[in-house]
Amino acid sequence: MVNRALDVVLLGPPGAGKGTQAKRVAAAFELLHLSTGDLLRDEVTRRTGLGEQAKAFMNRGELVPDTLVGKMLATRLHSQPAALGCAFDGYPRTTAQAQLLDGLLAELNRRVDVVLYLRVEDDEILRRLTGRRSCPACGAVYHTVTQPPMVGGVCDACRATLVQRDDDRDEVVRERLRVYREHTTPLLALYRDRGNLREVDGSSGADEVFERLREVMGRVRR
Ligand code: AP5
């Protein structure tokens, strides 16, 4: 039997570990890691038209309008080999985005195969996001306590100086959590009803969480 592409959505509140785990899942199951947050930050850094429009929404902790993110995602999906499945990190975040993703994947004869929902409590999220440091050059992500770089403030991989994301300030994190509850949590019921939601406790260490995800992924049929 020929394996078809496997498409995985990582769902969860800001700071749940979607990016951390999506990279690992993508590497282990040979998927493309597709993070709309990373793609948008890249647009902002390059000061593209999209980046200029998205920046204010992101700095306030609000969602970037569906149409802008949808176009960006469609371009990205169409620019890669159709046979390669994706680990979607940060998309979809609204029911309209979920419908768009279904349509884009259907055009490629694919579907959302599994949704990995990382469950983490708010106090842990605040700890994670206020301690997060990111590399502006290569995108590596650290945490000052749980995943510190070898040399303080310096990226292990490319030696660039690590930065704190503008939207990881306490008040913006609280707004992101509010937006998540209002716009994204309805997706849990949507995917649960479809039978492809898998809930995983995301509160323990990153290695332990990944082992749980690997186990779940191992049971997903291609
Ligand atoms: P985005 O970048 O997607 O932010 P997010 O969803 O809020 O998620 P984060 O990146 O903050 O967290 P994460 O779950 O990936 O956690 P991470 O692995 O980094 O989006 C940013 C903004 O862009 C949005 O607010 C919005 O404006 C816009 N946007 C993006 N997508 C959009 C869309 N589809 N529609 C509209 N707008 C969109 O981990 C966090 C920290 O915790 C790290 O320091 C990490 O080292 C640490 N950590 C991770 N796992 C563990 C663990 N198990 N134990 C201890 N520490 C851990």
Side-chain angles (χ1 to χ4, degrees), residues 34-35 62 66 73-75 105 117 124 135 156 158 167 173 178 185 194:
L34 214 158
S35 157
E62 295 168 12
D66 287 344
L73 183 84
T75 307
L105 289 177
Y117 165 45
E124 172 66 7
C135 176
D156 294 345
C158 71
D167 61 351
V173 170
R178 192 197 63 73
T185 52
R194 283 190 194 175

Short mmCIF file of all heavy atoms in Angstrom, two decimals, residues 34-35 62 66 73-75 105 117 124 135 156 158 167 173 178 185 194:
data_model
loop_
_atom_site.label_atom_id
_atom_site.label_comp_id
_atom_site.label_asym_id
_atom_site.label_seq_id
_atom_site.Cartn_x
_atom_site.Cartn_y
_atom_site.Cartn_z
N LEU A 34 4.20 23.72 9.35
CA LEU A 34 3.66 24.95 8.80
C LEU A 34 3.03 25.78 9.92
O LEU A 34 1.95 25.46 10.41
CB LEU A 34 2.61 24.57 7.75
CG LEU A 34 2.50 25.50 6.56
CD1 LEU A 34 1.86 24.80 5.38
CD2 LEU A 34 1.74 26.71 6.95
N SER A 35 3.77 26.80 10.36
CA SER A 35 3.31 27.65 11.46
C SER A 35 2.87 28.99 10.91
O SER A 35 3.69 29.75 10.37
CB SER A 35 4.46 27.84 12.46
OG SER A 35 4.26 29.02 13.22
N GLU A 62 -4.52 40.09 18.94
CA GLU A 62 -5.75 39.74 18.21
C GLU A 62 -5.41 38.83 17.03
O GLU A 62 -4.25 38.75 16.61
CB GLU A 62 -6.40 41.02 17.66
CG GLU A 62 -6.90 41.94 18.75
CD GLU A 62 -7.28 43.31 18.21
OE1 GLU A 62 -7.38 43.47 16.98
OE2 GLU A 62 -7.47 44.22 19.04
N ASP A 66 -9.03 36.54 8.78
CA ASP A 66 -9.03 35.23 8.11
C ASP A 66 -8.57 35.31 6.65
O ASP A 66 -7.83 34.44 6.18
CB ASP A 66 -10.45 34.63 8.12
CG ASP A 66 -10.85 34.13 9.50
OD1 ASP A 66 -9.97 33.96 10.37
OD2 ASP A 66 -12.06 33.91 9.72
N LEU A 73 -1.62 31.06 3.62
CA LEU A 73 -1.56 29.60 3.78
C LEU A 73 -1.71 28.89 2.44
O LEU A 73 -0.98 27.95 2.14
CB LEU A 73 -2.67 29.14 4.74
CG LEU A 73 -2.63 27.65 5.04
CD1 LEU A 73 -1.64 27.36 6.16
CD2 LEU A 73 -4.00 27.13 5.43
N ALA A 74 -2.68 29.39 1.63
CA ALA A 74 -2.91 28.75 0.32
C ALA A 74 -1.65 28.83 -0.53
O ALA A 74 -1.25 27.85 -1.17
CB ALA A 74 -4.08 29.45 -0.38
N THR A 75 -0.99 30.00 -0.52
CA THR A 75 0.23 30.15 -1.31
C THR A 75 1.28 29.16 -0.85
O THR A 75 1.95 28.50 -1.65
CB THR A 75 0.78 31.60 -1.13
OG1 THR A 75 -0.27 32.50 -1.43
CG2 THR A 75 1.98 31.86 -2.03
N LEU A 105 -7.26 21.40 1.40
CA LEU A 105 -6.75 20.02 1.42
C LEU A 105 -7.53 19.15 0.44
O LEU A 105 -6.94 18.29 -0.24
CB LEU A 105 -6.83 19.44 2.84
CG LEU A 105 -5.83 20.03 3.84
CD1 LEU A 105 -6.04 19.45 5.23
CD2 LEU A 105 -4.38 19.80 3.40
N TYR A 117 -4.71 17.97 20.39
CA TYR A 117 -5.07 19.08 21.27
C TYR A 117 -4.22 19.01 22.54
O TYR A 117 -4.30 18.06 23.31
CB TYR A 117 -6.57 19.02 21.60
CG TYR A 117 -7.00 19.88 22.76
CD1 TYR A 117 -6.56 21.20 22.89
CD2 TYR A 117 -7.86 19.38 23.73
CE1 TYR A 117 -6.96 21.98 23.96
CE2 TYR A 117 -8.27 20.16 24.81
CZ TYR A 117 -7.80 21.46 24.91
OH TYR A 117 -8.18 22.24 25.98
N GLU A 124 0.39 27.84 34.01
CA GLU A 124 1.57 27.26 33.34
C GLU A 124 1.85 28.00 32.02
O GLU A 124 2.99 28.27 31.66
CB GLU A 124 1.32 25.76 33.10
CG GLU A 124 2.37 25.04 32.24
CD GLU A 124 3.75 24.95 32.88
OE1 GLU A 124 3.91 25.32 34.06
OE2 GLU A 124 4.69 24.53 32.16
N CYS A 135 14.94 32.89 18.74
CA CYS A 135 16.06 33.35 17.91
C CYS A 135 15.49 34.06 16.68
O CYS A 135 14.76 33.43 15.89
CB CYS A 135 16.92 32.18 17.48
SG CYS A 135 18.23 32.72 16.37
N ASP A 156 21.92 28.57 20.57
CA ASP A 156 22.87 27.46 20.44
C ASP A 156 23.19 27.18 18.98
O ASP A 156 24.32 26.84 18.62
CB ASP A 156 22.26 26.15 21.01
CG ASP A 156 22.05 26.23 22.51
OD1 ASP A 156 22.61 27.14 23.15
OD2 ASP A 156 21.31 25.37 23.04
N CYS A 158 22.76 29.18 16.04
CA CYS A 158 23.37 30.14 15.10
C CYS A 158 24.05 31.32 15.80
O CYS A 158 24.51 32.23 15.12
CB CYS A 158 22.33 30.61 14.08
SG CYS A 158 21.11 31.68 14.81
N ASP A 167 4.58 40.02 21.65
CA ASP A 167 3.27 39.62 22.15
C ASP A 167 3.36 38.66 23.35
O ASP A 167 2.36 38.08 23.75
CB ASP A 167 2.40 39.02 21.03
CG ASP A 167 3.01 37.77 20.40
OD1 ASP A 167 4.17 37.45 20.70
OD2 ASP A 167 2.30 37.11 19.62
N VAL A 173 -0.50 38.51 26.52
CA VAL A 173 -0.76 37.07 26.69
C VAL A 173 -2.19 36.86 27.18
O VAL A 173 -2.91 35.99 26.69
CB VAL A 173 0.25 36.44 27.68
CG1 VAL A 173 -0.18 35.02 28.04
CG2 VAL A 173 1.66 36.43 27.08
N ARG A 178 -7.81 35.21 25.91
CA ARG A 178 -9.23 35.54 25.76
C ARG A 178 -9.68 35.25 24.32
O ARG A 178 -10.72 34.63 24.09
CB ARG A 178 -9.46 37.03 26.10
CG ARG A 178 -10.90 37.42 26.26
CD ARG A 178 -11.12 38.93 26.19
NE ARG A 178 -10.76 39.50 24.89
CZ ARG A 178 -11.47 39.35 23.78
NH1 ARG A 178 -12.57 38.66 23.78
NH2 ARG A 178 -11.06 39.90 22.64
N THR A 185 -11.64 27.81 20.76
CA THR A 185 -12.16 26.62 21.47
C THR A 185 -13.38 25.97 20.77
O THR A 185 -13.55 24.76 20.91
CB THR A 185 -12.49 26.92 22.95
OG1 THR A 185 -13.34 28.06 23.02
CG2 THR A 185 -11.24 27.17 23.76
N ARG A 194 -16.24 15.16 14.63
CA ARG A 194 -15.76 14.41 13.46
C ARG A 194 -15.02 13.14 13.85
O ARG A 194 -14.68 12.32 13.01
CB ARG A 194 -14.76 15.26 12.66
CG ARG A 194 -15.40 16.32 11.84
CD ARG A 194 -14.32 16.87 10.94
NE ARG A 194 -14.74 18.11 10.34
CZ ARG A 194 -13.95 18.86 9.60
NH1 ARG A 194 -12.70 18.49 9.37
NH2 ARG A 194 -14.39 19.97 9.08
#
